[in-house]
Amino acid sequence: MLTQLTVNDFAIVDALDIEFGEGMTTITGETGAGKSIAIDAISLCLGARGEGAMVRPGGKRADISATFSVEGNKPALKFLRHHELDNDEQCIIRRVISKEGRSKGYINGKPVPISQLKEIGVFLLNIHGQHAHQGLLDSALQLSLLDQYANHQKLNAQVALSHQNYSQINAELKELQVAQQQAQAKVQLLEYQVEELDAFALLEGEFDEIEQEHQRLSNSESIQMSCHRLLHQLTEDDSFNIESALNSALATLDELIEQDSSVEPLIEMLNGALIQVQESAQELTSYQESVEQNPERLAELDERLSKAMQLARKHQVTPQELPALHQSIHSELQAINHDDARIGELEIQLEQIAAQYYEQAQQLSQSRQKYASKLEKLVTKSMKRLSMEHGKFAIDVTFNESGNINKHGLDSVAFLVSTNPGQPLDALNKVVSGGELSRISLAISVITANKVATPTLIFDEVDVGISGPTAATVGEMLRELGQSTQIACVTHLPQVAGCGHHQMRVVKHTDGRTTQTTMVPLSESERVQELARLLGGNSISDNTLANAQELLRVNE
């Protein structure tokens, strides 16, 4: 329940601090006084768009606070606790807008995104604007109003979740199907390429190895001759070889040591050289023996090298990159085959979710038809109360089993009305006048308000186009609603204003340079004066005063 509203430097309001009580509060004032400013301020607290132009001329920023009692309001308390914003069953929402247009939001003193103001707002307050009846012609709103009356939150959530799951899987399925269609032309080529590379089966690093072996076999004769010549130089030449020369040098060094022992370290160096020459000769001999002429192996290597280079040119890679290419093509082909399997899985899932969706949508449709029957009787009854004695209201709920899956189900809902005897039921826009539409909209708003859990409802001049006995009935209906829900109603009708448990008056003051609007609660005697003004305009007579007193007595 809204308990207090504080407004500073907003529009033409300098400072405003008002308290709201239980039941029905009516807000009146002269035309142009700014009766809707309080509603605009509350809307900002609940996340409406803010602009720098909203700051009162001369002010630095607009500062608005709305205090709500959330005792027993389970959805609001759950929201506050979930976001760690709870404060002893009280919710204070503050909105600050600078003249540069910067906006800040607070809940119980903690800064929050403006989106959170909107989120908690739906649990605190609902505003019915003066043009709401025009939206009643929209089929989407008609469906929403029926669902509000029927408390279809749970059924709607189930249908919406199934629709979301269906949409996600369907999107993935379509993406894979498009990819599969594009890949089909490529599959045959990939299969041929994999088969060709499978048959060749070049291993990682193999090309360099066979290239090296091929080079050795191709030059085996030259290698043998070089090895033979080198071995002669090292150990085998009878006329001169390095091994014999080193042995001779060691013998000479032995003689030299006998004459001068200081050259003895040279023995170790020459011995080391001799050992290295001998080991080199042994290694060279082994290598020479391993090198043989093998025409068959050479031909085999030559063919494999040629095939490797041929495949490399074909795929525009180096021969060394063929193994990696082989793996890449193989993986691509596997992915396409996996997509085929995944498509099959998704098609089964989609069929299952569609069946679940249709079952839930049918259950929702049956419930809509049930509550449509109840709502149309209540609206018809209210139409008669609102001076539409021959009025009849009906709701057509049509289940379209072949319709497109959407988050609202498969129903089309149409509000139908007849206002004269013998007149067939037809769409609202074809039958009713603006005033009749306004009355029907108000009737539906009051009826559905009893079903909606929002603890505070604000009606902003929803009684436009209504007068006389009908206005009195509207006031009675709103007062009845005020027995269970906090109501604030901006009105210009004395019959409605007199039905309020409380009344406030909006007054505009100007000194020629600045303009200010204030809102003040009215005492009993002040209410009589205000109602008399509404009844008689600027000329207040004893008769208008008496009528005003009678209006208040009737609603005591």
Side-chain angles (χ1 to χ4, degrees):
M1 183 180 81
L2 176 66
T3 59
Q4 188 171 16
L5 178 66
T6 303
V7 182
N8 291 289
D9 288 336
F10 172 65
I12 55 175
V13 174
D14 179 12
L16 184 67
D17 190 357
I18 53 177
E19 295 182 357
F20 289 86
E22 296 180 351
M24 176 181 175
T25 298
T26 56
I27 302 171
T28 58
E30 293 183 358
T31 301
K35 296 189 291 295
S36 296
I37 282 182
I39 297 176
D40 295 337
I42 293 171
S43 296
L44 283 174
C45 280
L46 302 183
R49 180 182 176 85
E51 299 176 353
M54 294 176 171
V55 180
R56 186 180 68 85
K60 293 183 179 179
R61 62 178 180 269
D63 196 330
I64 304 165
S65 294
T67 302
F68 296 86
S69 169
V70 289
E71 183 179 359
N73 188 337
K74 293 181 180 180
L77 287 169
K78 182 179 179 181
F79 178 92
L80 292 171
R81 288 166 186 161
H82 176 73
H83 293 90
E84 299 182 350
L85 298 167
D86 49 315
N87 181 26
D88 297 330
E89 297 186 337
Q90 190 177 62
C91 178
I92 302 174
I93 299 179
R94 182 183 174 208
R95 182 81 178 272
V96 179
I97 301 172
S98 71
K99 61 182 179 180
E100 293 80 20
R102 292 189 295 273
S103 181
K104 295 180 180 179
Y106 303 86
I107 297 178
N108 287 334
K110 297 180 181 179
V112 296
I114 301 302
S115 60
Q116 283 196 5
L117 302 184
K118 293 181 180 180
E119 290 174 28
I120 193 170
V122 299
F123 305 130
L124 301 174
L125 184 145
N126 194 4
I127 297 175
H128 295 259
Q130 56 182 300
H131 302 297
H133 62 282
Q134 296 172 359
L136 191 62
L137 300 176
D138 181 60
S139 59
L141 179 60
Q142 294 175 6
L143 176 63
S144 176
L145 287 170
L146 175 58
D147 283 339
Q148 285 180 36
Y149 173 75
N151 286 327
H152 277 157
Q153 292 92 335
K154 186 175 180 180
L155 285 174
N156 279 330
Q158 291 174 345
V159 170
L161 180 60
S162 292
H163 166 260
Q164 181 182 358
N165 292 336
Y166 182 92
S167 298
Q168 290 174 347
I169 293 176
N170 194 41
E172 183 183 353
L173 177 61
K174 287 183 176 179
E175 184 179 342
L176 285 176
Q177 287 173 335
V178 170
Q180 186 192 46
Q181 289 173 359
Q182 295 173 344
Q184 284 306 313
K186 197 177 180 182
V187 167
Q188 190 173 0
L189 174 62
L190 290 176
E191 288 176 341
Y192 170 76
Q193 290 175 337
V194 167
E195 184 178 348
E196 185 179 44
L197 291 170
D198 279 345
F200 187 59
L202 186 69
L203 301 176
E204 188 72 37
E206 181 186 353
F207 181 82
D208 290 335
E209 292 176 2
I210 61 176
E211 189 177 41
Q212 186 177 1
E213 184 181 359
H214 180 273
Q215 185 175 3
R216 186 169 64 249
L217 286 174
S218 298
N219 296 284
S220 59
E221 186 175 350
S222 174
I223 290 171
Q224 287 281 3
M225 292 177 62
S226 296
C227 288
H228 181 74
R229 187 167 56 254
L230 188 53
L231 283 170
H232 261 64
Q233 292 173 348
L234 290 174
T235 61
E236 295 178 356
D237 194 325
D238 293 335
S239 59
F240 178 81
N241 62 70
I242 296 174
E243 183 181 17
S244 299
L246 285 171
N247 281 321
S248 175
L250 283 167
T252 303
L253 186 59
D254 285 338
E255 295 176 357
L256 183 59
I257 289 172
E258 292 178 359
Q259 299 172 13
D260 185 357
S261 61
S262 64
V263 297
E264 188 171 354
L266 293 175
I267 291 283
E268 185 176 352
M269 295 173 65
L270 288 175
N271 271 325
L274 179 61
I275 291 170
Q276 288 186 350
V277 168
Q278 291 170 339
E279 289 179 350
S280 296
Q282 291 174 359
E283 288 291 330
L284 191 59
T285 300
S286 297
Y287 172 69
Q288 183 184 30
E289 291 173 351
S290 68
V291 176
E292 58 179 349
Q293 295 184 8
N294 189 340
E296 293 82 5
R297 176 59 177 166
L298 181 60
E300 180 184 327
L301 293 174
D302 191 60
E303 181 181 356
R304 192 156 180 76
L305 284 175
S306 298
K307 181 66 174 177
M309 289 186 284
Q310 176 189 350
L311 287 173
R313 283 193 301 271
K314 181 177 181 178
H315 293 284
Q316 297 182 335
V317 296
T318 64
Q320 289 85 349
E321 292 171 330
L322 281 175
L325 175 70
H326 184 193
Q327 182 59 45
S328 174
I329 296 174
H330 186 268
S331 299
E332 186 177 358
L333 187 59
Q334 276 189 323
I336 293 174
N337 292 333
H338 178 267
D339 285 349
D340 290 341
R342 179 60 178 161
I343 285 173
E345 293 174 4
L346 291 177
E347 287 174 340
I348 293 173
Q349 289 182 30
L350 202 63
E351 186 176 340
Q352 293 172 341
I353 291 177
Q356 176 181 294
Y357 173 88
Y358 282 115
E359 182 179 344
Q360 292 170 341
Q362 197 164 37
Q363 184 181 357
L364 177 59
S365 181
Q366 290 169 354
S367 182
R368 282 172 174 162
Q369 291 172 15
K370 171 185 173 182
Y371 282 96
S373 176
K374 295 181 178 180
L375 180 57
E376 61 188 16
K377 292 176 183 177
L378 291 173
V379 175
T380 297
K381 182 179 179 182
S382 293
M383 287 171 66
K384 297 182 185 303
R385 286 185 66 186
L386 292 169
S387 301
M388 300 175 70
E389 293 82 2
H390 303 291
K392 184 177 181 182
F393 184 81
I395 303 175
D396 179 51
V397 179
T398 303
F399 182 73
N400 185 4
E401 190 171 354
S402 60
N404 293 327
I405 288 179
N406 68 85
K407 64 180 180 181
H408 300 297
L410 296 174
D411 291 316
S412 60
V413 171
F415 286 2
L416 307 175
V417 68
S418 170
T419 56
N420 298 304
Q423 181 186 48
L425 291 163
D426 207 341
L428 292 175
N429 62 329
K430 295 181 179 179
V431 178
V432 299
S433 64
E436 290 171 330
L437 182 62
S438 179
R439 279 178 273 170
I440 293 171
S441 174
L442 180 61
I444 294 173
S445 296
V446 172
I447 293 168
T448 55
N450 281 310
K451 288 280 190 172
V452 177
T454 308
T456 300
L457 297 174
I458 294 180
F459 292 89
D460 184 12
E461 295 196 32
V462 294
D463 49 15
V464 172
I466 298 171
S467 60
T470 305
T473 303
V474 169
E476 292 170 6
M477 292 172 66
L478 291 175
R479 186 178 176 92
E480 290 169 9
L481 183 60
Q483 300 296 330
S484 58
T485 304
Q486 184 189 37
I487 302 293
C489 178
V490 176
T491 183
H492 65 285
L493 298 177
Q495 297 92 330
V496 175
C499 288
H501 299 94
H502 321 280
Q503 187 171 345
M504 295 184 183
R505 184 183 182 194
V506 178
V507 181
K508 183 166 66 175
H509 305 277
T510 180
D511 58 7
R513 293 177 300 172
T514 60
T515 301
Q516 293 185 11
T517 288
T518 59
M519 182 185 295
V520 293
L522 300 180
S523 65
E524 189 77 11
S525 60
E526 289 170 332
R527 287 191 72 181
V528 172
Q529 290 291 325
E530 176 65 5
L531 291 175
R533 183 191 65 79
L534 291 173
L535 286 166
N538 293 327
S539 176
I540 298 178
S541 65
D542 291 340
N543 286 335
T544 55
L545 286 171
N547 288 337
Q549 289 174 334
E550 181 64 21
L551 282 176
L552 288 179
R553 277 197 298 270
V554 168
N555 293 299
E556 286 179 353

